[in-house]
């Protein structure tokens, strides 16, 4: 892990009670270490994101520079739960079969001399923190402050790059620092990548940050949803795991100076929201400082645990014969119902942590430098798999075996939701030291264990062993394989690994992938890493052929009688490339679709041209693009907007005829990249410092049309105080003006759509204004495209204005219809009461009509209390996709006017909108919320 050298070099030692201090160390326990750990932790900490956004595709981001100075990372902060005294190990496996599987893929990862499309890598820090994850077609490796994307045969697709490359343009410490302790995982249920790294750990007083990126697809070189969360305490040694209800991360908490261990923390991050790219929170619980080095259960395979099952958490116990376990159940709808219970003591065979109280005793040939064992914690990962008839978790740690060191491994099985020991053993077939392990199970129950091996006559090697599902318990039966016999030893410092990773390929559920470090020649700061794959007998790894399909752009606007194009791309998801035949459906009358070429080999692309005729009706139409191959059929969505020619309407809304039809001021231009659709778009503002620039057009809305829309993509490196983009719509017939896009300053990774209602027959003036403060070095400008009028379907929400009381809404608690205040019409709804109350809500389930893309509502809250006690929040559940997003985080404010909330929705999907008001039932400060005008559009 990469930390800053300002932190104390002290080590926390185990044995003889909870701790003793080495030399002049300043690292201490707090007084809480003498207290018993509570069985039930009653209060979680809720952290709201600092910010979130969407990155450009990674393949388009220039790699951030890697650190260029050598730096030994600070010595290990040993955890308190490292056993007591020395004990004979009763479960040692002292023999091994001569047979061993042979790696299939076996190639160098990031390390000294490694190179790829983004340049070469030079080691500047130790240890490497090696870990990797494998997806449907790619492997991603991350080592302290750098990462790379590979094919499964070892071709480098992207990297090596500093990990904060993922946060380019994000702002804050996630962008400006690159502090390491990175972890990568692959979400098998959602086919997404997750990467975490902490930030600003060089600060003397904090705050500290965890930076989290979730890919938008299974392609790690695509776009990522990016988040940051803030911590007052230093969140050391983060470990990430995937569970259906959350992404869980564990930390060892220290005070800001890094000198006092404060206990472990585990945080559940809102997985559904982070996959959707919407606002996210995390809920966190802490232990006392009797425990550290926790790991949360990490899901392998595509069979989820039973619905609602809590995440099992494991650490070394407080004694030499126990593991400690907890259960974390997170409730996103009602955070007060989230629970973290434990520790429960799970009795295991006696063990002695490797290398005694120092943790450092691993010998190497050719040098007197000994290596660290990290024996004071269970090692990454706590791999979980649901086999249907039982649920298993496997984990390992390093223990003393006579005068050497071996790997203690466990298979735990859940019984009634509680972990029990199914089998356990210490792999130590000879006097070689084995440590820094990682273990996982394939889809049939075979287990593979990877680790480092070294001795006074061996350089550190990368080895692995395994067992079959039907083998006698408590044994690794499949011999010992070697990934690479390390050519060298590390002459300084003692730091080694910090962790490694054993994962399973989701494409077949059988192929294990192991990532670990080695030394190419005697020396320091010259480590390399190795990625190797292998299978164990009895697992059928036959891969079915499959592909994916996508359209770019995903929408286009044309005037009836003209055409538009989009690129349809395909990719191999698994197996071999097949011929994919393309077709399109859902076209409006008078429109045709043609592909060039009509068929592609998976991995290829085609151009789709949609041509309309003069008789094609105006409106927005969902088009399904279908790819058919012998093994599978998949579809991609495309939205076509057709506008009427003549008789009013927007002229040249796609800017394919330059700026014809528009009135411009300041700096405006036509651009060919980026565009939302077609060949051209308009830029408002300049790439050089400028002042006010605008585009405007006056038009009359044709009969049958009721919606105005446009797409924009802004580049704003400044703040909204100085630079902004805004849009106004003047109804010249009614004599009113509406701001349909309030001032915004953002650097958008993709185009954003704006919609507004219009009245047929009315004359309007649309004005798009970009303001730049003319300051050198940070010009702001905006790209605009596809300004169009269309017919809009009616709202899917029934009685969204509450003019018919609460009809069609499901209510709980205190709800009522009010006549003041209202946003529109004569009535609105009140959630909560003017007298003290508890939880109250309104909810409605609806299906989004074709052509509609958002849901919105207005609210006005009265909250004389604080958000600790009273709040209003809104969730939107996508019943079709099975995900829930919080579209309005908890808020407590007394609003002087109604506030609008909008959220994106998908046509054809069923949703449930739930608006909840919480009051703590305390006399004198009742909180309630008035809501009105809930619509889809």
């Amino acid at each position: 892990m990469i930390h800053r050298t300002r932190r104390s070099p002290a080590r926390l030692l185990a044995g003889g009670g909870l701790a003793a201090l080495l030399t002049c160390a300043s690292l201490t326990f707090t007084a809480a270490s003498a207290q018993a750990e509570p069985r039930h932790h009653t209060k979680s900490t809720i952290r709201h994101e600092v910010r979130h956004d969407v990155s450009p595709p990674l393949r388009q981001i220039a790699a951030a520079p890697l650190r260029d100075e050598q730096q030994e990372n600070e010595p290990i902060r040993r955890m308190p739960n490292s056993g007591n005294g020395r004990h004979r190990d009763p479960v040692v496996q002292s023999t091994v079969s001569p047979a061993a599987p042979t790696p299939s893929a076996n190639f160098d990862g990031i390390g000294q001399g490694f190179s790829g499309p983004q340049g070469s890598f030079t080691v500047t820090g130790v240890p490497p923190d090696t870990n990797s994850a494998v997806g449907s077609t790619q492997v991603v490796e991350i080592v302290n402050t750098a990462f790379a994307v590979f094919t499964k045969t070892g071709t480098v697709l992207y990297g090596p790059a500093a990990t904060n490359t993922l946060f380019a343009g994000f702002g804050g410490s996630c962008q400006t620092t690159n502090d390491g302790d990175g972890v990568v995982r692959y979400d098998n249920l959602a086919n997404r990548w997750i990467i975490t790294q902490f930030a600003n750990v060089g600060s003397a007083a904090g705050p500290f940050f965890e930076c989290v990126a979730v890919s938008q697809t299974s392609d790690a070189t695509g776009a990522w949803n990016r988040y940051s969360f803030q911590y007052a305490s230093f969140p050391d040694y983060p470990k990430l795991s995937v569970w259906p209800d959350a992404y869980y991360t564990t930390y060892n908490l220290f005070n800001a100076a890094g000198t006092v261990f404060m206990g472990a923390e585990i945080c559940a991050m809102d997985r559904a929201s982070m996959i959707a790219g919407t606002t996210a929170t995390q809920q966190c619980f802490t232990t006392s400082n009797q425990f550290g080095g926790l790991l949360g259960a990490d899901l392998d395979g595509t069979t989820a645990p039973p619905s609602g099952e809590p995440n099992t958490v494991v650490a070394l116990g407080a004694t030499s014969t126990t593991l400690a376990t907890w259960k974390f159940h997170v409730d996103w709808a009602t955070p007060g119902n989230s629970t973290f219970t434990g520790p429960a003591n799970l009795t295991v065979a006696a063990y002695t942590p490797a290398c005694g109280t120092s943790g450092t005793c691993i010998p190497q040939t050719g040098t007197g430098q000994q290596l660290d064992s990290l024996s004071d914690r269970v090692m990454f990962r706590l791999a979980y798999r649901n086999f249907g008839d039982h649920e298993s978790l496997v984990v390992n740690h390093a223990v003393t075996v006579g005068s050497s060191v071996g790997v203690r491994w466990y298979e735990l099985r859940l019984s009634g939701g509680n972990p029990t020991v199914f089998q356990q053993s210490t792999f130590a077939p000879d006097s070689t030291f084995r440590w820094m392990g990682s273990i996982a199970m394939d889809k049939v129950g075979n287990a593979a264990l990877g680790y480092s091996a070294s001795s006074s006559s061996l350089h550190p090697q990368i080895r692995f062993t395994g067992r079959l599902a039907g083998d006698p318990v408590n044994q690794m039966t499949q011999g010992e394989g070697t990934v690479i016999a390390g050519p060298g030893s590390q002459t300084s410092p003692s730091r080694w690994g910090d962790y490694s990773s054993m994962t399973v390929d989701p494409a077949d559920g059988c192929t294990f992938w192991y990532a670990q470090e080695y030394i190419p020649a005697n020396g320091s700061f010259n480590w390399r890493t190795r990625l190797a794959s292998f299978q164990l007998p009895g697992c059928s790894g036959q891969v079915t052929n499959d592909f994916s399909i996508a359209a770019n752009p995903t929408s286009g606007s044309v005037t009836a009688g003209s055409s538009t194009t989009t690129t349809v791309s395909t990719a191999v998801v698994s197996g071999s490339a097949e011929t994919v035949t393309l077709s399109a459906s859902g076209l409006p009358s008078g429109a045709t679709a043609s592909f060039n070429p009509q068929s592609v080999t998976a991995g290829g692309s085609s151009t789709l041209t949609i041509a309309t005729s003069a008789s094609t009706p105006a409106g927005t139409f969902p088009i399904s693009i279908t790819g058919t191959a012998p093994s599978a059929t998949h579809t991609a969505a495309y939205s076509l907007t057709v506008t009427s020619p003549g008789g009013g309407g927007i002229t040249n809304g796609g800017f394919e005829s330059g700026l014809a039809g528009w009135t411009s001021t300041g700096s405006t231009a036509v651009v060919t990249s980026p565009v939302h659709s077609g060949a051209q778009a308009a830029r408002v503002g300049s790439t050089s410092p400028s002042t006010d620039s605008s585009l405007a057009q006056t038009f009359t809305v044709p009969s049958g049309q009721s919606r105005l829309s446009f797409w924009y993509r802004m580049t704003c490196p400044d703040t909204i105080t100085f630079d902004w983009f805004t849009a106004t719509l003047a109804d010249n017939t009614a004599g009113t003006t509406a701001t349909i896009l309030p001032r915004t300053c953002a650097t958008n990774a993709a185009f954003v759509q704006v919609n507004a209602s219009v009245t047929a027959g009315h004359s309007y003036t649309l004005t798009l204004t970009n303001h730049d403060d003319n300051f050198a070095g940070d010009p702001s400008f905006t790209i605009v495209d596809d300004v169009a009028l269309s017919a809009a379907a009616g709202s899917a929400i029934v009685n969204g204005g509450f003019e018919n009381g609460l009809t069609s809404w499901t209510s709980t608690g205190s709800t009522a219809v009010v006549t003041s205040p209202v946003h529109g019409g004569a009535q609105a709804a009140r959630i909560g009461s003017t007298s003290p109350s508890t939880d109250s809500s309104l909810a409605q389930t609806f299906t989004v009509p074709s052509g509609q893309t958002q849901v919105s509502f207005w609210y006005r809250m009265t909250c004389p209390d604080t958000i600790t006690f009273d709040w209003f929040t809104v969730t939107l559940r996508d019943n079709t996709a099975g995900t829930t997003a919080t579209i309005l985080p908890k808020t407590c404010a007394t609003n002087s006017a109604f506030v609008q909330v909008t959220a994106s929705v998908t046509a054809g999907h069923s949703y449930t909108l739930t608006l909840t008001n919480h009051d703590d039932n305390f006399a004198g400060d009742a909180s309630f919320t008035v809501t009105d005008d809930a619509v889809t559009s």
Side-chain angles (χ1 to χ4, degrees):
M1 50 186 165
I2 294 286
H3 302 160
R4 297 300 182 227
T5 55
R6 68 160 181 87
R7 296 193 181 279
S8 167
R11 295 173 184 267
L12 188 59
L13 308 181
L18 286 178
L21 296 180
L22 175 66
T23 63
C24 59
S26 58
L27 184 62
T28 61
F29 287 122
T30 62
S33 61
Q35 299 174 0
E37 177 73 6
R39 295 290 300 172
H40 182 74
H41 307 250
T42 57
K43 182 179 180 181
S44 67
T45 298
I46 299 174
R47 291 192 182 99
H48 296 269
E49 64 180 47
V50 177
R51 67 185 73 189
H52 82 273
D53 74 353
V54 178
S55 78
L58 176 61
R59 68 184 76 91
Q60 298 177 9
I61 301 177
L66 293 159
R67 191 177 58 186
D68 59 4
E69 79 277 6
Q70 286 191 344
Q71 175 177 311
E72 175 187 352
N73 302 334
E74 61 188 272
I76 304 161
R77 295 182 178 86
R78 286 183 62 77
M79 294 292 100
N81 44 322
S82 52
N84 296 307
R86 187 177 180 89
H87 306 271
R88 185 185 67 84
D89 192 325
V91 292
V92 174
Q93 178 182 340
S94 56
T95 60
V96 64
S97 165
T102 301
S104 48
N106 192 348
F107 53 85
D108 265 355
I110 304 172
Q112 186 68 25
F114 174 81
S115 63
Q118 274 59 48
S120 298
F121 182 85
T122 300
V123 172
T124 58
V126 291
D129 297 357
T130 314
N131 68 106
S132 69
V134 57
S136 57
T137 62
Q138 299 166 336
V139 178
V140 176
E141 183 189 33
I142 189 166
V143 295
N144 47 46
T145 58
F147 74 103
V149 182
F150 302 82
T151 67
K152 292 180 182 179
T153 58
T155 300
V156 187
L157 300 176
Y158 187 91
T163 307
N164 64 336
T165 299
L166 278 168
F167 294 89
F170 183 69
S173 294
C174 290
Q175 176 180 340
T176 59
T177 67
N178 190 46
D179 289 342
D181 263 26
V183 180
V184 58
R185 297 299 307 122
Y186 188 75
D187 184 337
N188 294 315
L189 300 180
N191 290 312
R192 304 290 189 95
W193 299 92
I194 313 100
I195 287 179
T196 64
Q197 173 175 260
F198 57 26
N200 201 41
V201 302
S203 168
F208 310 104
F209 300 90
E210 183 81 336
C211 313
V212 186
V214 179
S215 68
Q216 292 197 330
T217 68
S218 61
D219 180 4
T221 69
W224 295 67
N225 300 329
R226 306 184 295 189
Y227 295 82
S228 66
F229 297 95
Q230 181 174 313
Y231 306 79
S233 300
F234 171 48
D236 195 19
Y237 204 72
K239 292 294 167 286
L240 172 69
S241 60
V242 175
W243 203 246
D245 59 10
Y247 295 134
Y248 288 84
T249 308
T250 57
Y251 306 97
N252 296 327
L253 291 184
F254 289 83
N255 65 338
T259 56
V260 177
F261 177 61
M262 302 171 67
E265 181 173 57
I266 180 166
C267 295
M269 298 183 289
D270 189 345
R271 172 178 175 268
S273 294
M274 298 175 85
I275 289 173
T278 56
T279 301
T281 60
Q282 60 176 209
Q283 297 183 34
C284 305
F285 287 93
T286 58
T287 71
S288 75
N289 60 6
Q290 290 180 317
F291 297 95
L294 278 61
L295 290 179
D298 188 22
L299 173 67
D300 280 340
T302 56
T303 302
S307 178
E309 181 172 292
N311 186 271
T312 298
V313 183
V314 172
L316 291 185
T319 71
S320 59
T321 58
T322 58
L323 297 177
T325 70
W326 294 260
K327 297 179 186 179
F328 192 155
H329 167 71
V330 65
D331 189 326
W332 296 110
T334 309
N337 291 339
S338 296
T339 57
F340 182 62
T341 55
N345 289 325
L346 181 62
T347 301
V348 298
Y351 61 85
T352 302
C355 303
T357 56
S358 73
T360 305
C361 72
I362 310 296
Q364 311 171 84
T365 188
T367 178
Q369 177 66 62
Q370 294 181 330
L371 302 176
D372 296 323
S373 64
L374 257 73
S375 61
D376 58 343
R377 65 200 72 185
V378 287
M379 298 307 298
F380 189 63
R381 301 180 295 130
L382 177 62
Y384 166 96
R385 191 177 284 272
N386 185 354
F387 292 97
D389 61 346
H390 68 276
E391 302 168 76
S392 291
L393 302 106
V394 287
V395 72
N396 80 99
H397 59 106
V399 299
T400 296
V401 180
S403 58
S404 68
V405 167
V407 179
R408 168 69 68 86
W409 59 272
Y410 308 90
E411 180 187 351
L412 311 180
R413 291 192 177 181
L414 296 181
S415 175
N418 299 311
T420 60
V421 177
F422 177 74
Q423 58 177 326
Q424 59 184 319
S425 183
T426 298
F427 188 71
D430 54 37
S431 60
T432 297
F433 288 62
R434 294 168 176 85
W435 83 110
M436 202 59 62
S438 185
I439 186 171
M441 302 181 81
D442 65 20
K443 67 182 182 182
V444 300
N446 300 331
L449 171 67
Y451 45 86
S452 291
S454 186
S455 72
S456 59
S457 59
L458 287 176
H459 299 297
Q461 301 185 351
I462 303 175
R463 296 185 185 180
F464 63 98
T465 186
R467 57 169 281 109
L468 305 186
D471 287 341
V473 296
N474 307 324
Q475 297 180 49
M476 288 292 171
T477 60
Q478 294 299 295
E480 186 172 37
T482 300
V483 173
I484 188 169
S489 294
Q490 182 168 289
T491 56
S492 71
S494 66
R495 300 301 301 280
W496 185 266
D498 259 16
Y499 37 101
S500 63
S501 66
M502 181 73 76
T503 56
V504 182
D505 194 328
D508 60 19
C510 294
T511 303
F512 292 97
W513 283 83
Y514 187 53
Q516 176 66 280
E517 74 162 304
Y518 73 98
I519 304 298
N522 286 5
S524 60
F525 293 94
N526 66 332
W527 52 259
R528 292 181 181 174
T529 65
R530 198 79 173 174
L531 298 167
S533 67
F534 59 92
Q535 290 188 0
L536 296 177
C539 189
S540 174
Q542 182 177 359
V543 181
T544 58
N545 298 330
D546 202 1
F547 69 96
S548 62
I549 186 171
N552 185 23
T554 57
S555 62
S557 178
V558 295
T559 302
S562 59
S563 62
T564 187
T565 62
T566 186
T567 299
V568 180
S569 59
T570 62
V572 176
V573 171
S574 61
S576 303
E578 297 181 310
T579 299
V580 181
T581 302
L582 303 170
S583 61
S585 59
L587 296 165
S589 62
T592 60
S594 60
F595 293 88
N596 184 22
Q598 185 75 34
S599 297
V600 299
T601 301
S605 61
S606 175
T607 300
L608 167 62
T609 301
I610 299 178
T612 62
S613 65
S615 63
T616 300
T620 298
F621 305 92
I623 310 298
S624 292
I625 303 169
T626 301
T628 303
S631 64
T633 298
H634 296 291
T635 61
Y638 181 81
S639 179
L640 174 69
T641 299
V642 181
T643 58
S644 300
I650 297 291
T651 301
N652 186 32
F655 304 97
E656 302 303 310
S657 301
L659 298 180
W662 293 88
T663 300
S664 64
T665 66
S667 299
T668 58
V670 172
V671 297
T672 56
S673 179
V675 298
H676 180 256
S677 70
Q680 297 186 153
R683 187 184 69 229
V684 189
S686 173
T687 55
S688 301
S690 61
T691 53
D692 285 323
S693 305
S694 69
L695 285 173
Q697 185 174 146
T698 298
F699 58 91
T700 300
V701 180
S703 174
Q705 298 187 358
S706 58
R707 185 178 72 165
L708 169 73
S709 64
F710 67 89
W711 296 80
Y712 77 92
R713 182 172 173 177
M714 189 180 191
T715 298
C716 186
D718 210 327
T719 68
I720 201 169
T721 304
F722 303 103
D723 295 357
W724 62 78
F725 175 63
T726 187
T728 61
L729 184 65
D731 185 335
N732 304 312
T733 303
T736 59
T737 298
T739 300
I740 60 174
L741 177 66
R743 291 180 179 181
T744 184
C745 174
T747 296
N748 307 117
F751 279 87
V752 179
Q753 188 178 34
V754 176
N755 295 283
S757 298
V758 291
T759 303
H762 281 214
S763 167
Y764 289 88
T765 299
L766 172 67
T767 304
L768 308 160
T769 302
N770 188 95
H771 172 80
D772 181 72
D773 62 356
N774 203 27
F775 190 80
D778 61 357
S780 296
F781 58 89
T782 307
I783 307 297
V784 177
D785 204 358
D786 294 336
V787 185
L789 292 165
S790 61
S795 173
I797 294 180
V798 179
N799 187 34
F802 304 98
E803 301 305 308
N804 294 317
L806 298 180
T807 302
S808 301
W809 292 87
T810 300
S811 64
T812 65
S814 300
T815 59
V817 172
V818 297
T819 56
S820 179
V822 297
H823 179 259
Q827 296 187 153
R830 187 186 70 228
I831 310 173
S833 173
T834 55
S835 301
S837 60
T838 54
D839 286 324
S840 306
S841 68
L842 286 174
Q844 185 173 145
T845 298
F846 57 92
T847 299
V848 181
S850 173
Q852 297 193 354
T853 59
Q854 72 175 21
V855 62
S856 64
F857 65 91
W858 296 79
Y859 77 92
R860 181 171 172 177
M861 188 179 191
T862 298
C863 186
D865 210 326
T866 69
I867 200 169
T868 303
F869 303 103
D870 295 358
W871 60 77
F872 177 60
T873 186
V874 180
T875 60
L876 182 66
R877 176 167 177 79
D878 186 331
N879 303 308
T880 304
T883 59
T884 301
T886 301
I887 61 174
L888 178 66
K890 290 180 179 179
T891 183
C892 174
T894 297
N895 308 119
S896 60
F898 279 86
V899 179
Q900 188 180 33
V901 176
T902 62
S904 298
V905 291
T906 302
H909 281 213
S910 166
Y911 289 86
T912 300
L913 177 68
T914 305
L915 306 99
T916 302
N917 189 95
H918 173 80
D919 181 73
D920 63 355
N921 204 26
F922 192 79
D925 60 358
S927 294
F928 59 90
T929 306
V930 176
T931 186
D932 203 359
D933 294 338
V935 297
T936 61
S937 61

